[in-house]
Amino acid sequence: MTRAIPGTAQSDGSGVKAARTRERLLDATATVLSRKGFAGTRMADIAELAEIQAPAIYYYYASREDLIEEVMFTGASAMREHLARVLQALPEGTSPADRISAAVDAHLRHELELSDYSTAIIRNANQLPPQVSRRALAEIAAYNDVWRGLVADLAAVGQLRADVEPATGRMLVLGALNWTAEWWDPSRGPLSELIRTAQSMVLHALRP
C-alpha cells in the first residue's frame, strides 16, 4: 500500500511540491503500465517519464508494487466517479435507454480520451498479485454494480430483450467497450463517431 518514508517528502516543508511529484509519478506509472503491462513496468521507465531520479521514487512509495497499487486504485476510483457524475447530471426522468447511452459515452471518453489509468486497469487488472489489485477490484466491482442497475432499469420498463440474460448482456457490453482500448486509433475517425456507433450497437443489442 502507499506509504511515504518518514523524514523525506512529507517532512521537507513542501507539501505542494510533494503532492505534485506524487501526481507525476502516478501519471507516469499509468502510462508505462498501459503500454508495457505489469511485468514490463520498470522503475527506470517511470522515473524517466516523470523526470525524476529513480532512487527518489522510494521517498514516496516503498516499492514498485505500492506505486502500481496506488495507480490501479486511483484509476478505478476515477472511472467509477466519472460515470457517477455523468449519470447524476442527467435530467430527472431520463429514460433507462438514454442513461445507458450516456454511460457508454462516459466509459469510452474516460477510457480513450481522459485517462491512461483506465487503459492500465483494463490491460492489467487480472494479471496482478492480490495485494496489488484488491482495492482496485473493489472499485471495479462497484463500477459493474452501476451498470447492473442500468440494465435492471431497462428490464423494469420492459425494454430488455427477452432472450438477453441481464448479467451476460452487461458483461458482453462492458467487454466490447473495454476492448476498444486495444484497437481504436484517432486515425480511424473522431471519437464521437466511435461513441455514436457504440451507443447504437449497445442499445440495438439490448432492446427488442
Side-chain angles (χ1 to χ4, degrees):
M1 310 299 287
T2 303
R3 51 188 181 274
I5 297 176
T8 56
Q10 291 188 338
S11 61
D12 66 359
S14 181
V16 172
K17 181 180 178 181
R20 287 175 178 169
T21 301
R22 283 179 176 273
E23 184 176 356
R24 290 208 320 275
L25 286 171
L26 292 175
D27 289 349
T29 304
T31 298
V32 175
L33 195 60
S34 69
R35 294 173 182 172
K36 297 190 175 184
F38 176 70
T41 294
R42 302 184 308 156
M43 290 297 232
D45 295 330
I46 294 169
E48 181 179 0
L49 194 58
E51 299 181 342
I52 187 173
Q53 295 295 317
I57 296 176
Y58 295 100
Y59 289 154
Y60 301 92
Y61 296 94
S63 70
R64 169 181 173 272
E65 286 69 26
D66 280 1
L67 179 51
I68 292 174
E69 193 274 344
E70 184 70 12
V71 165
M72 296 294 290
F73 172 70
T74 299
S77 298
M79 195 164 190
R80 178 186 57 78
E81 291 167 0
H82 177 69
L83 176 61
R85 285 194 300 271
V86 167
L87 294 176
Q88 289 168 4
L90 295 174
E92 186 175 354
T94 298
S95 71
D98 285 343
R99 285 174 61 80
I100 288 177
S101 184
V104 170
D105 184 294
H107 186 105
L108 290 176
R109 287 193 187 281
H110 200 275
E111 176 184 355
L112 301 175
E113 185 177 61
L114 299 180
S115 176
D116 278 336
Y117 290 76
S118 299
T119 308
I121 293 165
I122 289 165
R123 291 177 174 169
N124 294 280
N126 294 323
Q127 304 175 24
L128 302 176
Q131 70 273 18
V132 177
S133 62
R134 188 175 294 113
R135 285 200 303 160
L137 289 178
E139 288 291 327
I140 292 169
Y143 185 86
N144 287 339
D145 283 343
V146 176
W147 273 89
R148 185 178 289 108
L150 292 171
V151 175
D153 290 345
L154 193 70
V157 296
Q159 291 187 12
L160 182 68
R161 282 172 44 177
D163 59 346
V164 171
E165 197 281 316
T168 303
R170 169 177 54 85
M171 294 307 294
L172 286 169
V173 166
L174 287 173
L177 296 178
N178 287 342
W179 189 249
T180 59
E182 301 296 335
W183 60 262
W184 184 76
D185 187 279
S187 65
R188 292 176 177 266
L191 180 58
S192 58
E193 183 179 283
L194 170 67
I195 290 171
R196 285 194 302 271
T197 300
Q199 288 169 325
S200 177
M201 293 184 70
V202 167
L203 291 176
H204 277 83
L206 294 176
R207 294 188 299 178

